[in-house]
Amino acid sequence: YREGSRARARGACMTASAAVPSISVRHPALDLSPVPRHWNGGDPFATHFMNALSSTFPDGEAFFVKSVMAARDRIDDPDLQRRIRAFAGQEGQHSRLHDAHTKMLVEQGYRAIATRNRFERWMMDLSVRWLPRASLAATAALEHLTAILARRLLSEPERFTGAMDPVMSTLWRWHALEEAEHKSVAYDVLQTVAPSHALRVLMLATNSVGLALEILDRTAYMLWKDGLLFRRATWRSGWRFLLGPEGFLRGLGADYWRWYRRDFHPDAIDDRPLLDAWRPRIEAEIR
């Protein structure tokens, strides 16, 4: 890429990142062993949807770190280098805790989750090796999705985490806090080394579809193992949980579509007041 394009990208990142939150690496001490099987309000669909999402994190977060670190030697900005280190530290902790959760799922009988993760780990490692630009763009795109979900969990805690088992509620709020803190790191790296609007549009579109299918497949598998997949009540509950009047995915479209604008930047939405309100409580809960 031409030096002029890279310089413009760096300038845009510095301007748009005026609202960058601070990034702290925390080491939660959470014991997942007492978590009940249907920990999300006793609702199997709501539980397994979140289980499915969580089970993609151990290897997914490792992929994010590898994708960003592969471009690190092309970053001249010392502040962005510092944020990359903090990003890697946070994502490492996310992998650790969600790996413990995934092992709990395997112990509960959902063994195919581990098989699927091994295959996807292999695919993601190949992607980082042979398609580094696409991998970085995919990472930035998926970080956009996690930032949207993080804002939802922290903005309306009673609605989305109030019915959860207390340990899982803490796990998800801590993860949400840190996703919101580092939401612009991968994007700023991408804009510095590969500032292609077409590439990032393509990666969000394809990864949105891929992730949705993956989560639905894993959710269906766990419901099948529970003997609940073909019950009408299960899917009525699923519709309410995802798309009902107070559904988990309801009303996220505006934030999602921002990505496709040429002038998009994650920090255009200033989450710092939300993070400042939650940070002391979450840090007390994870000790």
Side-chain angles (χ1 to χ4, degrees):
Y1 289 95
R2 294 172 301 173
E3 288 302 316
S5 296
R6 294 179 65 181
R8 285 193 298 273
R10 285 194 295 270
C13 290
M14 292 172 65
T15 300
S17 299
V20 175
S22 62
I23 305 175
S24 300
V25 180
R26 305 169 182 87
H27 301 80
L30 297 178
D31 180 9
L32 304 182
S33 59
V35 174
R37 191 179 193 90
H38 295 148
W39 50 265
N40 198 356
D43 185 328
F45 187 97
T47 297
H48 288 321
F49 181 87
M50 300 301 285
N51 280 341
L53 184 58
S54 175
S55 70
T56 68
F57 286 152
D59 297 308
E61 306 277 22
F63 167 75
F64 295 169
V65 172
K66 291 174 185 176
S67 298
V68 170
M69 296 300 282
R72 187 179 178 185
D73 62 352
R74 299 174 65 186
I75 303 299
D76 300 325
D77 180 3
D79 182 64
L80 184 52
Q81 285 281 3
R82 176 190 59 78
R83 291 166 58 216
I84 289 171
R85 291 192 295 272
F87 166 83
Q90 286 190 337
E91 296 290 42
Q93 291 301 309
H94 299 173
S95 290
R96 178 179 68 85
L97 265 295
H98 286 280
D99 185 55
H101 180 224
T102 301
K103 288 177 180 176
M104 182 187 78
L105 295 177
V106 172
E107 290 170 358
Q108 290 176 345
Y110 309 115
R111 295 182 181 86
I113 295 293
T115 303
R116 176 68 67 88
N117 281 2
R118 284 194 293 271
F119 171 74
E120 293 191 351
R121 184 185 314 133
W122 176 72
M123 292 292 292
M124 288 186 287
D125 285 345
L126 285 179
S127 178
V128 173
R129 181 176 179 182
W130 297 109
L131 299 168
R133 291 172 62 233
S135 297
L136 179 58
T139 293
L142 290 166
E143 285 287 302
H144 175 60
L145 298 182
T146 57
I148 293 172
L149 296 180
R151 190 175 304 116
R152 164 131 294 184
L153 290 175
L154 296 178
S155 297
E156 302 179 75
E158 291 305 316
R159 179 177 167 189
F160 296 112
T161 61
M164 290 182 180
D165 173 85
V167 174
M168 296 304 295
S169 177
T170 297
L171 174 66
W172 281 102
R173 288 200 298 261
W174 157 72
H175 193 155
L177 175 77
E178 296 196 344
E179 289 297 331
E181 286 181 341
H182 70 232
K183 65 181 181 178
S184 62
V185 174
Y187 184 89
D188 284 348
V189 173
L190 177 68
Q191 290 300 94
T192 302
V193 304
S196 167
H197 180 253
L199 177 63
R200 67 177 174 87
V201 164
L202 176 64
M203 287 298 103
L204 182 61
T206 55
N207 280 277
S208 296
V209 174
L211 181 62
L213 293 175
E214 183 68 26
I215 297 305
L216 183 60
D217 180 67
R218 292 179 183 228
T219 302
Y221 163 69
M222 286 183 274
L223 289 170
W224 173 70
K225 291 291 287 184
D226 285 358
L228 300 171
L229 179 61
F230 300 107
R231 293 189 182 181
R232 187 175 300 173
T234 299
W235 292 96
R236 281 201 303 265
S237 171
W239 177 267
R240 287 194 302 272
F241 173 71
L242 294 177
L243 297 170
E246 296 188 351
F248 188 63
L249 302 180
R250 193 71 175 253
L252 297 181
D255 280 353
Y256 173 82
W257 289 108
R258 289 173 186 266
W259 175 269
Y260 295 100
R261 294 171 48 175
R262 288 187 178 274
D263 63 350
F264 169 81
H265 192 278
D267 293 320
I269 300 177
D270 188 357
D271 288 323
R272 288 177 300 174
L274 187 64
L275 299 182
D276 290 343
W278 272 104
R279 193 173 286 116
R281 176 177 172 182
I282 292 173
E283 290 180 344
E285 288 178 348
I286 64 176
R287 287 181 188 141

